[in-house]
Amino acid sequence: DVKVTQSSRYLVKRTGEKVFLECVQDMDHENMFWYRQDPGLGLRLIYFSYDVKMKEKGDIPEGYSVSREKKERFSLILESASTNQTSMYLCATTPGGKGYTFGSGTRLTVV
Amino acid sequence: QKEVEQDPGPLSVPEGAIVSLNCTYSNSAFQYFMWYRQYSRKGPELLMYTYSSGNKEDGRFTAQVDKSSKYISLFIRDSQPSDSATYLCAMTTDSWGKFQFGAGTQVVVTP
């Protein structure tokens, strides 16, 4: 089975800090995605990547950036964390044609 | 208006009852439809994956897609307390593309 590992389950950061969320997958999939999940809003796509060093904006990229230097690793960066970025962050991967496999999520609180 | 609409619930049913969940969507180009189950503080896990219209059955779960009505359903037979979770629908125009998610329906199965 595909394993998607997110480095932290819970994070508490201060406003203005630079925050790195890491995601690693072990199945050599090209496609990787970052979503945030908020009550009543569901999952919203932040960024995605179809290949190494390639990135595309999703529906809500403002305030975020990403890095994909290696195929298995996709990082989400909050350049200057703000309280409205308090959320559950989910990383996902897919080989195409079979739906996503998600990580366990990182619950980020910005104070 | 959201592309994918899903009643957030909660939907409370007694053990052994049939759980009926649905989503409506507006984009007629959607071809791939999925249902995910998400337990509290966990990432979503894929339950059902269907292409185009029709029915698909897997154990106690049945997924239905009616593209003419832009309506998808998930039925859970003989519901168990362990089925208590949030159920998310998702859909996409092509198997490699980014998915659009519903907000999720919380289901509670009472013993």
Side-chain angles (χ1 to χ4, degrees), chain A residues 59-111:
Chain A
D59 299 321
I60 52 163
E62 296 79 18
Y64 304 94
S65 63
V66 290
S67 173
R68 193 159 182 206
E69 296 296 320
K70 294 184 177 181
K71 195 173 190 178
E72 68 270 19
R73 187 180 297 270
F74 192 35
S75 302
L76 180 69
I77 304 158
L78 287 66
E79 296 290 342
S80 178
S82 63
T83 55
N84 63 12
Q85 292 179 310
T86 292
S87 186
M88 171 75 134
Y89 290 87
L90 290 160
C91 175
T93 181
T94 177
K98 297 185 179 180
Y100 287 153
T101 298
F102 283 93
S104 296
T106 296
R107 188 167 293 275
L108 173 67
T109 301
V110 182
V111 298

Side-chain angles (χ1 to χ4, degrees), chain A residues 6-87:
Chain A
Q6 293 185 231
S7 53
S8 304
R9 292 297 305 275
Y10 301 94
L11 275 179
V12 180
K13 296 291 182 180
R14 295 192 181 279
T15 301
E17 276 193 76
K18 190 169 187 176
V19 181
F20 293 86
L21 303 182
E22 304 287 340
C23 176
V24 178
Q25 53 105 351
D26 65 357
M27 282 298 292
D28 203 35
H29 292 168
E30 280 84 12
N31 307 329
M32 297 188 75
F33 304 80
W34 274 106
Y35 284 85
R36 65 177 282 177
Q37 185 176 28
D38 301 288
L41 297 177
L43 276 76
R44 293 179 291 166
L45 182 62
I46 305 171
Y47 266 97
F48 60 104
S49 170
Y50 285 149
D51 204 349
V52 176
K53 295 192 185 293
M54 175 274 179
K55 60 186 178 184
E56 295 222 12
K57 293 180 180 179
D59 299 321
I60 52 163
E62 296 79 18
Y64 304 94
S65 63
V66 290
S67 173
R68 193 159 182 206
E69 296 296 320
K70 294 184 177 181
K71 195 173 190 178
E72 68 270 19
R73 187 180 297 270
F74 192 35
S75 302
L76 180 69
I77 304 158
L78 287 66
E79 296 290 342
S80 178
S82 63
T83 55
N84 63 12
Q85 292 179 310
T86 292
S87 186

Side-chain angles (χ1 to χ4, degrees), chain B residues 2-16:
Chain B
K2 295 179 183 177
E3 273 194 292
V4 181
E5 297 281 357
Q6 185 176 10
D7 189 326
L11 177 64
S12 183
V13 300
E15 184 175 356

Side-chain angles (χ1 to χ4, degrees), chain B residues 12-69:
Chain B
S12 183
V13 300
E15 184 175 356
I18 294 175
V19 176
S20 175
L21 303 165
N22 58 75
C23 289
T24 58
Y25 62 94
S26 57
N27 187 349
S28 58
F30 286 141
Q31 295 190 82
Y32 297 84
F33 304 91
M34 286 133 284
W35 285 95
Y36 288 84
R37 177 177 62 196
Q38 185 176 23
Y39 292 114
S40 181
R41 305 188 188 282
K42 300 281 190 181
E45 55 178 327
L46 183 65
L47 275 179
M48 301 288 282
Y49 184 99
T50 54
Y51 169 70
S52 194
S53 285
N55 293 358
K56 185 174 182 178
E57 190 172 316
D58 184 1
R60 297 185 295 114
F61 299 90
T62 300
Q64 292 183 349
V65 175
D66 182 348
K67 290 189 71 179
S68 62
S69 300

